Every structure is written in C-alpha cells, then in structure tokens.
Amino acid sequence: MALTGIQIYKLLPKTNCKECGFPTCLAFAMKLAAKQAELSACPYVSEEAKAKLEAASAPPIRLVTVSADGHEAKAGNEVVLYRHEKTFYNKPGLFLRVYDDMSADEIQAKAKPASEYVVEYVGIELDMAGTAIQARGGDFVAAVEAVRAVSDKPLILIADPDALDAALAKLQEIGIENDRPLICAADADNWQAMAELGKKYNVPVTVKADTLEGLADLTEKLKEAGLQDIVLDPGVRNLSDSLTMYTVLRRLAIKSLYRPLGFPIIAFPGDAEDEDKEYALATMAIAKYAGFVVLDRFTPARAYPLLVLRENIYTDPQKPIQVLPGLYEFHNPGPEDPVFVTTNFSITYFSVANEIDGSGMPAWLLIADAEGMSVLTAWAAGKFDADRIAKAVREFKVEEKVSRKRIVLPGLVAVLSGELEEELPGWEVKVGPREAVDLPSYMKNVLAAE
Amino acid sequence: MPIEIPKQKWSGAVREAVIGATPEEGGTRKKKVIVGGQTTMPFLHFEGEVPHPPVIAIEIKDRKPDDWSPLLMEVWGDVADDPGAWAKKAEENGADLLLLTLSLTDADGNPNTPERAVEAVKKVLEASGLPLMVFGPGQADLDNELIVAVSDAAKGERLVLGICEEQNYRTITATAMANDHLVSSRTAMDVNLAKQLVILIHDMGMPLDRILIDPTTGALGYGIEYGYSVMERLRLAALQGDTMTQGPMLITPGEEAWRVKESKVGEGVPEAWGDWKERAINWEVTTATALIYSGADIVIMRHPESVARVHAVIQDLMTAVEPA
Ligand code: B12
Ligand code: SF4
C-alpha cells in the first residue's frame, strides 16, 4: 500500500533546497505520506523516483470502466476483504450474454428486455449494466449491430482478435458516445493481437488463464505493451473454485499488494450447465469480489433479487440508507385525511410509502428522525418514542395542515399510544397494522369507515 | 515467478456440536447431525479444515400456520394439520434435520398447552428419524412452560431447544442441561450481545458444545447486510481464538424471507418483480446462500424447492480446491 514518509524520503534528492515550500526533504516526504502535499512541488525528483512513487500510490485494484452513452460499469478500487472493515465501493455490473449464431431477432428479443429492465428498491433504480456478445460461429459484427440497434448500454465482446477488430470498427462507425466495451480474452497465444486492439481502440482487455502465474504473466505482458485497463478471468466455473480463486486474487491485490494481479475480476455464471447453478454462481460473484458478471439467463424474478443482493452487500456498513424526515403527501391529502407516522430508515419508509401510494387514498406520512433505524430497532434504541414523534409533529407543522387530528402508529409500537396521547393533546392516536402490506385494507375498512 | 498463495493462520476453531442421539446413545434418532469444526473462514479448504457441511433444517409447525405465504401452504397444505405427517414430508424433501416451532394458540385462539406441545413433539419423533429442534412461540412465560414439558418428555434425544434470549434463557437452559439437550442462543445482530448471552448461558453450567449461536438476520432487501456482517465478524472472532464466539451458528433465512412482501404477495406488485413463485423461491435461496457464505452452520428454511437448490450449493462448496 502507501509508502511511509521514510520510504519516500529515500527517493527524494536529499538536498533540502526548500523549493517545495518545506524546510527539508524529510519534512516534504512526511507531508507526502500524509497526502498533504503533491509530488509535483519538488522540481528535482528523478523520473525513476517519480515512477516508483506513482506506482506505490496507485490503488491496489485498478479501477476499470466500461461505458457507453451515459452508462458506466465500474469495477476495482476496492480496499477490504470484508465489508464491515470499511465498505465495498464499485457494484459489479450484470451483463446478459447473447451469441452471434442467434438470429438478429432472437438476439434483440433477448437483449432488449434485459437492457431496458429497471426495478425500484428503496427509491433507488436498479438495472442491468449491459449486454455481452460472444462469438459462436456466426456473424459477430452483425450480432453487435443487432444489439446496438436496441441498446445503448455498455458491452462486453467475446471473440477472436479479428472478429473483435471488425466489431470495434463497427462500433466506431455507429458512433455512440463513450462506447468503450470490454474485450475478451487475451491468452498465451493471442495476447499480442489483443494488446494491439486494446491500444488501437482504447478499450479494457480481459486476460484469461487457468493459473495465477498464467494470469500474472499476461498482465505483465499487456502492461509492457502499454495497457493499463485489464480485467482477470481465472477460468473458474464452479462455486468452490470461484470462492477460492476470487478470495486469493483479492488477498494478493489488497494484502500482498501484488501488482500483477491488482485488477478487477470477471465472472461467467452464464457458463453453468443449468439455471440454478448459474443463479448460485451469480450470488457468489456478487458477494465475493467479482467486478463484471456475465449471465445467460434473464427473468425479472432472477434479476431483482440479484440486484438487491448487490445493493445490500455494497451498502456502506457505517450508515443505513435514510430518507429525509418531514411530512410527505400522497394523493393530495386534505385537512380531514389521516396522518401516518414512521421512521426515516429507507427500507421502512418505502415499505410504508409504497402501500399508501398503492392504496390510491389521500394521506399524510410523517417521517420522524430515528437516525435511520427500523421501527423496532429505533424503538429499542430509544430513537422512536412519543417524545420524538411529538417533536416531529411540531417541527413539520402538521397541525397547520390537518383539522381532523388523527395520527396512526405502526402496529409494532402499539405500546407508545398512551404516552403519545399525553404528548399530543387533542389528537386521536390510533394503532395501525403491524405489517405495511395490510395498510390499504386498514385505510379502506377502518379509517375510511369512521 | 511462483506466486505465494496468501494463507491466514488461525489460532481458533469453530466448536463441534452434535444434534440428535441414536438408540445406542439413549435417543431414538436414526442419525445425528454434526456441525462446526472449521479452522478457516467459510469453505477456504486450502487454508484449514471444513470437516462438516452446513446443514438445512426444514421448519414445520404444530398446527396449520395462519400467516404463511400461500405458496408455502400450496406445498405443505395437505400435511400442515398433522405435525407427524409434515415431519415425514419434510424428511422426504431433503431436510437434514427439523425445526418444530410451537404456536402461540390453537386454531380457536386458546393458548397452547404443554400437553399439546408434547403431543406434537412425540408425533414428530415417531414419524421421522431426523434430529429435531423445538422452539417456543416467542413469549417468555409460555415458551418456558411449553419447552420445559417438551424437554422432559424427550429426555436423551439431544434436541436443540429455543429460543434463549437475554430476557429469558434461564428456565430453558436449566431444563436443557437436566435432559441432555442443546440450546439456541438468540440476540439481535450484534457481536457483543451474541457473546454476552453465550457467557450467561455457560455461566449456568451449560457446556459450550451444547450452545448454538443465533445472531439473527434480516431478509434479502430487509437488513440482510447486517446479519451477513455480524456473522462474518463472529466467525473471524472465533478463528482468532475468542472461545465465546466459537459455537456453530444457526440462522433463520426461511422465516425472514417468507415474511417479506416479495414472497408473500402475488398481486398488485410491480411488474419488474417478475413471476411470484420464481421470485419467492429466489428470495429464500438468496437469503440462505448469502448467509452460508458468511458462516452459517445451520440454515432453517421453508420451501422444498429452495432446500434442494441450497443443498446443491453446499455440495459444490464442500469440494476442496487448491489455488494455483
Ligand atoms: C436490521 C436490524 C437491526 C440493524 C439496524 C437496521 C436499521 N437501520 O434499522 C442493527 C444491526 C444496527 C440493529 C441494531 C439493534 N437492534 Co435490531 N433488528 C434488525 C432486524 C433484523 C430487522 C429490522 C428491519 O430492518 N426490519 C425491516 C423494516 C422495514 O421493518 P419496520 O421498520 O418494522 O417496518 C415494517 C412495519 O413496522 C410496518 N410499518 C412501518 N412503519 C409503519 C407505520 C405505520 C403507520 C404502519 C401501520 C406500519 C408501519 O411496515 C414495515 C413492513 O411491514 C430486527 C429483527 C427482525 N427480523 O425484524 C431486529 C430488531 C428490531 N432489533 C432489536 C434490537 C433490540 C436492537 C438493538 C437495541 C440491539 C443491539 N443489537 O444492540 C440495536 C439498537 C440499535 C442501536 N442501539 O444502535 C430487536 C427489537 C426487540 C424489541 N421488540 O424491542 C429486534 C426485533 C430483534 C429481536 N428479535 O430482538 N438491528
Ligand atoms: S524541493 Fe525537493 S529537493 Fe528541494 S527540499 Fe523539497 S523535496 Fe527536497
């Protein structure tokens, strides 16, 4: 990882000329180590020292970006093995694969729905990253064209160097902005041609080998050829070897700072012989360190849980996703309509908001500041009690909005109703159902009937 | 240039626990389940031992549940009124062991009784030779009453009894000690709380190899990230030698996954959620597999199709691989 001040000092001219603005080279080195100074401030560092310092300050896993139009799939820049140690940063992109021996219609019928798929989870829109296109004895360029006719999302291209060259030229001709696919795969035989393509079109290149040494050897060759953006395919296709190799690669990059393998990983669950195994491999790839994930089978009922898993694994463990406290309106509520109250934990808020919204009935939803905790967690931690709820009622001036003062508590905290009545004189405190799913029928059968 | 494979050297190990007793051992089970014993993080066979695979318990109830997803009632419907028949069907559907959860009330709303609980347990023990876990309905007074009766009636079977929680563990621990059973120690997703409760139970004289740790979790999309990380941290602590965190971990992905809207509700949900049954099964499978990746030794599940899929996952993960 980063060099210490003393290690940096050894690379400096040691003349103490002060031109960097610090009294000594050592003082400057200390500031560099603390990231409070820029190396460029010293006019006298040798080129060699510069290269060493830059290499040492590079992230342990290189950030590789695949893009097209406004879309991006980024992988790399990770710094930990376990998410509780800090956080996982760059969510692996899910790509659905088509083959060039499929007809253009078949390709589009498969690629389009996946490319357009969007599902909302706690207010975040989740989608597939793009399409992978693999040669299998058909017309590769035609397949790429077929995909581009229905999707402007990032691509992964898997073919031999000649077919790739033609496809990349075609993409330039089509001319989608920032169209920068990932190409697969350089191996011991074709790496020179692949390196040329990587440079010619400025695209990232996957290296594929069955051993760590084989992979490292290839990345070193590509680096010598002038390529930086490299992705690793360790050739694993089962759960056990995936877990083993991905873990070893991550450790080598992060713990051993082994530069030849400091690149993101691409996983191919789609190669599995059946859909259940593919699904399991995809969960492994998401939880355990893959940066790009290539799938062969897409249905909404598979994509949704996989995308949610990815969201959960990549949440910053230090801060729960929250919504802003406040008074939210549904279906133009008036002064007679009921006020529901809950916490500002995103999952809680959206569970409730979606149901109220789905009911089609007007209502107010008051979000109290419970420091981003669920109803019971917040209640157990003393962050969601009568006092806080009453405070929210005052802070967000609820009494100016409603004349019929009815407030509905989550069923799980029925115990708060007595205290809340004391805190909010003149209010009718009601206890709602325990589960948000039951809100629409509660609104219809209980509240509206009153 | 040969690459040095980075291996972690751990000083600790997960403790082994044996559930169920065969006739030679004073019980009536036709097999027993052994979990734990690992000397590495999950399935890293190249740096330590993984002597036993994680196991799957299928959860059954003493009577037809009122609030289970229609998809679950579709598969279990015909046997859900008879815990014996349900146990048998669960065994046929690949359970490694069973969890019987006792209901709060009978079908008419009267509180459950020790007699009924014992009767249900006896039916299950007769119908199936699998090792058994029995959990109370989750209300301290009734839990104690029911579990004590069950514990006495099944002396020597090496059941797992639950749920021991911070406010209510003494009675269940005492009866489990007296009748040679194990206990499940449940706390709310926190490493220190988990450890603390194990200490309290152990202080009463319960041997550590008869305490399972249930660190609890949320379902996929509903807080699994907390459960996942707490399990990873507990397992790291165990391998680093912290004896009070070395118990095998038990977790309830079935209950959690089947509680959420994605699994319970088929209509009036966003189109992007896809086919109901496919989604619901994937929800349970994903919750369970993620928790297996993070260290679960016993996963409690509900749908036979999910169970089959997670079994396949476990089998694959148990293949030893040497990185090269
Ligand atoms: C995830 C979780 C955590 C996470 C926090 C996540 C977060 N940001 O809130 C962590 C690990 C940090 C945590 C901590 C704690 N937790 Co906690 N936690 C959970 C867990 C597993 C899930 C909670 C959750 O996210 N549920 C999903 C959300 C959507 O549910 P919800 O907010 O209740 O909303 C639903 C309903 O209430 C309803 N609803 C919501 N609003 C409204 C409004 C109206 C009007 C209506 C009608 C309905 C309604 O709709 C929603 C969907 O149906 C539960 C156990 C479980 N499986 O439920 C324990 C649980 C809530 N935690 C508990 C406890 C005790 C704690 C701690 C105090 C203990 C500890 N570990 O130190 C701490 C407190 C935090 C602190 N001091 O900082 C206990 C509470 C026990 C009790 N009955 O009081 C629980 C129940 C676990 C248990 N069985 O012991 N926890
Ligand atoms: S400018 Fe360079 S040589 Fe001069 S004191 Fe600073 S670090 Fe040393």
Side-chain angles (χ1 to χ4, degrees):
Chain A
M1 178 113 355
L3 298 178
T4 64
I6 300 295
Q7 285 167 326
I8 296 174
Y9 171 67
K10 288 183 182 153
L11 295 169
L12 294 177
K14 304 193 195 80
T15 55
N16 301 336
C17 76
K18 302 187 176 54
E19 280 185 44
C20 55
F22 295 93
T24 60
C25 292
L26 181 61
F28 181 58
M30 291 301 175
K31 289 288 171 185
L32 277 180
K35 296 210 170 7
Q36 290 163 352
E38 292 289 334
L39 185 61
S40 55
C42 169
Y44 304 111
V45 272
S46 67
E47 283 305 314
E48 190 199 341
K50 216 184 255 174
K52 274 193 189 157
L53 285 168
E54 271 163 12
S57 66
I61 302 178
R62 185 174 172 86
L63 183 71
V64 174
T65 305
V66 175
S67 64
D69 204 13
H71 310 283
E72 271 185 342
K74 288 187 186 182
N77 258 3
E78 303 298 338
V79 292
V80 293
L81 277 154
Y82 299 104
R83 57 186 293 284
H84 65 83
E85 294 172 317
K86 192 160 168 64
T87 185
F88 291 180
Y89 292 107
N90 288 301
K91 299 168 194 168
L94 307 188
F95 291 78
L96 183 68
R97 179 164 55 182
V98 296
Y99 296 89
D100 71 353
D101 59 352
M102 296 160 69
S103 73
D105 283 350
E106 283 170 335
I107 287 175
Q108 292 176 344
K110 186 172 181 191
K112 192 165 183 267
S115 172
E116 289 173 351
Y117 178 75
V118 182
V119 62
E120 195 186 301
Y121 166 68
V122 297
I124 309 167
E125 293 201 331
L126 306 178
D127 66 353
M128 303 282 290
T131 310
I133 307 166
Q134 180 156 347
R136 200 167 62 182
D139 183 340
F140 193 64
V141 174
V144 170
E145 270 183 297
V147 171
R148 269 287 167 256
V150 294
S151 169
D152 57 4
K153 283 190 157 176
L155 301 179
I156 295 177
L157 304 178
I158 309 156
D160 62 52
D162 287 342
L164 286 172
D165 196 5
L168 289 163
K170 176 56 77 181
L171 286 178
Q172 279 192 340
E173 191 188 315
I174 296 172
I176 285 185
E177 219 163 300
N178 303 318
D179 201 346
R180 192 164 184 258
L182 168 65
I183 58 172
C184 305
D187 58 26
D189 298 325
N190 72 2
W191 65 269
Q192 274 152 321
M194 292 295 288
E196 285 310 314
L197 289 176
K199 278 191 295 185
K200 180 169 166 193
Y201 295 99
N202 181 29
V203 293
V205 176
T206 299
V207 298
K208 182 177 178 185
D210 290 339
T211 63
L212 295 168
E213 272 178 52
L215 284 174
D217 191 44
L218 284 166
T219 64
E220 291 293 271
K221 283 177 170 149
L222 292 194
K223 277 200 273 187
E224 257 167 54
L227 278 182
Q228 304 287 337
D229 288 345
I230 302 173
V231 173
L232 308 173
D233 175 5
V236 287
R237 299 294 184 263
N238 291 314
L239 283 173
S240 189
D241 51 5
S242 298
L243 175 64
T244 303
M245 293 302 283
Y246 298 164
T247 304
V248 167
L249 283 171
R250 179 85 150 216
R251 281 189 191 167
L252 280 167
I254 288 175
K255 299 284 178 205
S256 317
L257 273 184
Y258 183 66
R259 295 289 176 186
L261 294 175
F263 298 98
I265 296 167
I266 185 168
F268 287 91
D271 286 352
E273 55 276 17
D274 67 62
E275 58 174 13
D276 291 345
K277 185 162 176 189
E278 172 177 8
Y279 189 89
L281 284 164
T283 61
M284 172 67 75
I286 288 167
K288 293 290 172 180
Y289 316 141
F292 302 97
V293 182
V294 177
L295 304 169
D296 272 16
R297 298 161 186 90
F298 168 86
T299 66
R302 289 163 77 80
Y304 177 36
L306 288 176
L307 289 166
V308 171
L309 176 67
R310 182 183 74 173
E311 215 54 34
N312 291 169
I313 296 283
Y314 279 75
T315 312
D316 181 346
Q318 260 76 48
K319 46 174 192 288
I321 17 176
Q322 306 185 19
V323 294
L324 272 185
L327 185 65
Y328 291 68
E329 303 181 4
F330 293 85
H331 306 295
N332 303 315
E336 291 284 298
D337 291 314
V339 179
F340 295 93
V341 62
T342 191
T343 74
N344 66 326
F345 182 35
S346 280
I347 303 179
T348 301
Y349 169 80
F350 282 100
S351 308
V352 177
N354 288 343
E355 295 304 333
I356 299 181
D357 193 31
S359 77
M361 299 170 74
W364 305 90
L365 178 56
L366 177 64
I367 303 301
D369 182 359
E371 297 176 17
M373 288 182 222
S374 81
V375 169
L376 273 188
T377 310
W379 176 76
K383 308 290 182 192
F384 187 61
D385 51 20
D387 189 42
R388 286 215 177 205
I389 295 172
K391 224 169 97 194
V393 168
R394 288 190 293 272
E395 187 181 346
F396 302 112
K397 305 197 164 48
V398 184
E399 299 203 347
E400 293 175 12
K401 305 272 171 62
V402 297
S403 52
R404 182 167 181 197
K405 299 181 193 164
R406 277 189 301 176
I407 188 162
V408 184
L409 285 171
L412 290 177
V413 287
V415 289
L416 291 180
S417 60
E419 281 167 56
L420 191 59
E421 268 163 9
E422 277 172 33
E423 293 274 348
L424 292 176
W427 279 77
E428 186 189 343
V429 175
K430 306 190 64 86
V431 176
R434 298 164 70 91
E435 300 289 342
V437 196
D438 300 322
L439 264 171
S441 74
Y442 174 79
M443 291 167 78
K444 203 179 310 146
N445 302 328
V446 181
L447 292 184
E450 283 179 348
Chain B
M1 26 141 208
I3 295 168
E4 196 184 333
I5 304 288
K7 290 189 190 179
Q8 292 263 8
K9 272 277 147 259
W10 300 108
S11 56
V14 181
R15 206 171 285 113
E16 275 186 355
V18 183
I19 306 167
T22 60
E24 303 87 74
E25 295 154 340
T28 61
R29 304 300 78 205
K30 69 166 191 265
K31 68 163 195 175
K32 51 194 177 186
V33 157
I34 307 177
V35 287
Q38 302 92 316
T39 55
T40 172
M41 286 302 277
F43 311 103
L44 301 179
H45 303 270
F46 66 95
E47 76 181 12
E49 298 297 316
V50 188
H52 310 291
V55 293
I56 304 178
I58 291 184
E59 178 177 5
I60 65 176
K61 301 215 57 163
D62 54 351
R63 70 169 173 89
K64 186 175 256 160
D66 307 317
D67 57 352
W68 281 27
S69 167
L71 293 173
L72 288 170
M73 297 324 290
E74 208 174 88
V75 276
W76 301 118
D78 52 331
V79 294
D81 274 322
D82 176 0
W86 197 347
K88 200 152 172 269
K89 189 163 172 184
E91 181 173 356
E92 285 160 11
N93 277 286
D96 297 308
L97 70 168
L98 299 171
L99 167 67
L100 174 70
T101 37
L102 301 170
S103 305
L104 197 55
T105 62
D106 67 15
D108 302 323
N110 308 308
N112 206 343
T113 62
E115 296 73 33
R116 282 177 41 94
V118 168
E119 189 190 297
V121 168
K122 286 208 163 138
K123 277 189 180 166
V124 171
L125 288 172
E126 267 161 38
S128 163
L130 294 180
L132 178 65
M133 311 193 277
V134 184
F135 288 1
Q139 271 200 3
D141 291 345
L142 189 59
D143 275 17
N144 291 344
E145 217 185 307
L146 302 181
I147 292 298
V148 167
V150 165
S151 168
D152 288 340
K155 184 176 174 67
E157 293 282 10
R158 267 188 103 86
L159 307 180
V160 176
L161 298 178
I163 309 156
C164 287
E165 293 186 274
E166 198 187 337
Q167 307 80 4
N168 189 44
Y169 64 92
R170 292 170 185 278
T171 308
I172 297 174
T173 302
T175 186
M177 276 164 51
N179 294 303
D180 300 328
H181 302 304
L182 293 80
V183 293
S184 171
S185 164
R186 175 180 290 184
T187 45
M189 296 210 279
D190 182 279
V191 173
N192 291 321
L193 292 179
K195 196 170 151 176
Q196 198 56 40
L197 186 54
V198 171
I199 293 172
L200 292 172
I201 293 173
H202 181 54
D203 279 351
M204 285 184 62
M206 178 61 99
L208 286 171
D209 65 356
R210 280 161 57 195
I211 306 174
L212 302 178
I213 300 175
D214 174 359
T216 64
T217 185
L220 175 68
Y222 295 83
I224 192 177
E225 64 270 36
Y226 297 97
Y228 183 93
S229 283
V230 166
M231 290 177 79
E232 286 193 331
R233 290 174 57 201
L234 279 167
R235 191 46 51 91
L236 286 165
L239 295 174
Q240 280 154 7
D242 180 347
T243 46
M244 294 301 159
T245 59
Q246 287 174 338
M249 289 191 282
L250 165 154
I251 199 81
T252 54
E255 179 183 344
E256 295 299 330
W258 285 100
R259 180 158 62 196
V260 306
K261 185 169 180 182
E262 278 80 352
S263 322
K264 265 190 139 165
V265 185
E267 273 166 40
V269 300
E271 209 176 301
W273 285 16
D275 179 75
W276 180 21
K277 183 175 169 200
E278 187 188 358
R279 176 210 326 142
I281 303 276
N282 280 337
W283 221 264
E284 186 179 30
V285 167
T286 312
T287 307
T289 31
L291 297 171
I292 286 174
Y293 299 158
S294 63
D297 296 286
I298 302 175
V299 288
I300 301 169
M301 301 183 62
R302 288 189 175 172
H303 199 288
E305 287 179 38
S306 325
V307 170
R309 284 174 58 184
V310 174
H311 262 308
V313 167
I314 293 171
Q315 201 187 352
D316 185 341
L317 287 168
M318 286 305 287
T319 315
V321 174
E322 273 303 317

